[in-house]
Amino acid sequence: MLTDEQKKYRDRADRARRELFKEKEKFDVISDGSGKRYRVCVYYVLSGAPEKAAEYLEWFKQTFADDIGEPAFLLYAALAHYRLGSLSTARRYLFDSMLSNIYLLPYLLSRSMPKQDMWHLSNRAQPDYIEEIEELLEEPTSQEREWISEQFDSELFMKARSKYIETFHALQHASELDTRRRILGDWQDYISACRANEILPVAARG
């Protein structure tokens, strides 16, 4: 039986999803400047319905194929799949969550990380963004935090984190366009290799 709080979030998720579906059906495109597309997943997890969140995420991937997501959305996508026992998918979302805001997981795990001397892609990548989603970071259970900690300290996550900081530090101090393109190209190649060789299950590699 849902608590009043869960009912509130379930209603919000259902309403936001309906609005997105209707807009897609009517116009075949969705104009979502408010970020409603991200909140559906978060609200379903908060309402105790990770299966609905996972179902929505499948639709999200098809509808917003080029959308890189945002930190809270990616974290909650990881939580949804973790709660459903889909650990490899949960790990992929957690990996992307870490790289969407390098300060997010340290904050979640009560580990201090000062602002880095690096180029931040947007305000969502800044440490101040944590204050905007602070309330949402109370959701993970102690067991989930333990799993997150294990992933955070894994070789894959540690190397990717170091490479991210190294890359965006270099971008902070690079002014020539060709140099920035080369640095970003190297980063994209590195992350693509990580996803292909480390994160994806063997069966999915082909």
Side-chain angles (χ1 to χ4, degrees):
M1 185 174 179
L2 298 179
T3 66
D4 289 342
E5 189 77 0
Q6 288 175 322
K7 288 178 182 177
K8 177 184 72 174
Y9 284 118
R10 185 71 59 88
D11 288 344
R12 288 180 181 178
D14 287 341
R15 183 169 59 253
R17 186 180 65 171
R18 282 196 304 271
E19 291 172 357
L20 290 167
F21 283 8
K22 285 180 180 178
E23 187 173 352
K24 174 66 174 175
E25 183 178 357
K26 185 174 182 179
F27 302 107
D28 198 39
V29 293
I30 294 175
S31 177
D32 180 33
S34 68
K36 180 168 47 185
R37 65 193 183 280
Y38 301 136
R39 295 196 295 271
V40 175
C41 174
V42 173
Y43 290 159
Y44 272 134
V45 173
L46 289 171
S47 75
E51 71 286 351
K52 288 183 176 291
E55 179 184 342
Y56 170 76
L57 286 166
E58 288 303 311
W59 178 84
F60 180 95
K61 286 190 294 184
Q62 296 175 19
T63 307
F64 304 104
D66 297 326
D67 197 308
I68 62 173
E70 61 93 41
F73 165 79
L74 293 167
L75 174 63
Y76 272 72
L79 292 178
H81 283 286
Y82 179 85
R83 293 177 185 185
L84 293 172
S86 303
L87 298 186
S88 60
T89 304
R91 191 175 191 232
R92 292 201 298 275
Y93 276 116
L94 187 69
F95 184 81
D96 288 341
S97 179
M98 177 183 74
L99 297 180
S100 69
N101 186 305
I102 206 74
Y103 310 97
L104 175 60
L105 298 190
Y107 179 90
L108 194 65
L109 299 172
S110 299
R111 303 188 188 187
S112 175
M113 176 178 264
K115 185 173 183 178
Q116 301 297 300
D117 176 25
M118 65 183 191
W119 179 52
H120 294 81
L121 285 165
S122 70
N123 66 311
R124 290 174 177 163
Q126 296 274 358
D128 292 349
Y129 179 71
I130 302 299
E131 297 177 9
E132 298 180 27
I133 62 170
E134 191 172 7
E135 184 178 343
L136 298 178
L137 301 183
E138 299 174 5
E139 175 66 13
T141 65
S142 57
Q143 179 180 331
E144 288 164 346
R145 290 172 193 270
E146 183 177 343
W147 171 74
I148 290 170
S149 180
E150 289 172 358
Q151 303 309 313
F152 187 77
D153 291 332
S154 68
E155 183 177 4
L156 170 65
F157 278 55
M158 289 178 65
K159 285 184 175 180
R161 198 160 58 246
S162 295
K163 180 69 173 177
Y164 179 95
I165 293 172
E166 173 189 323
T167 297
F168 286 85
H169 171 79
L171 286 169
Q172 175 81 339
H173 299 280
S175 56
E176 293 184 4
L177 185 58
D178 287 345
T179 301
R180 294 178 68 84
R181 284 176 175 166
R182 176 183 56 78
I183 293 171
L184 281 172
D186 289 345
W187 167 250
Q188 292 299 330
D189 290 344
Y190 173 81
I191 289 301
S192 294
C194 283
R195 291 193 174 104
N197 299 319
E198 297 288 346
I199 297 179
L200 289 176
V202 173
R205 295 180 197 165

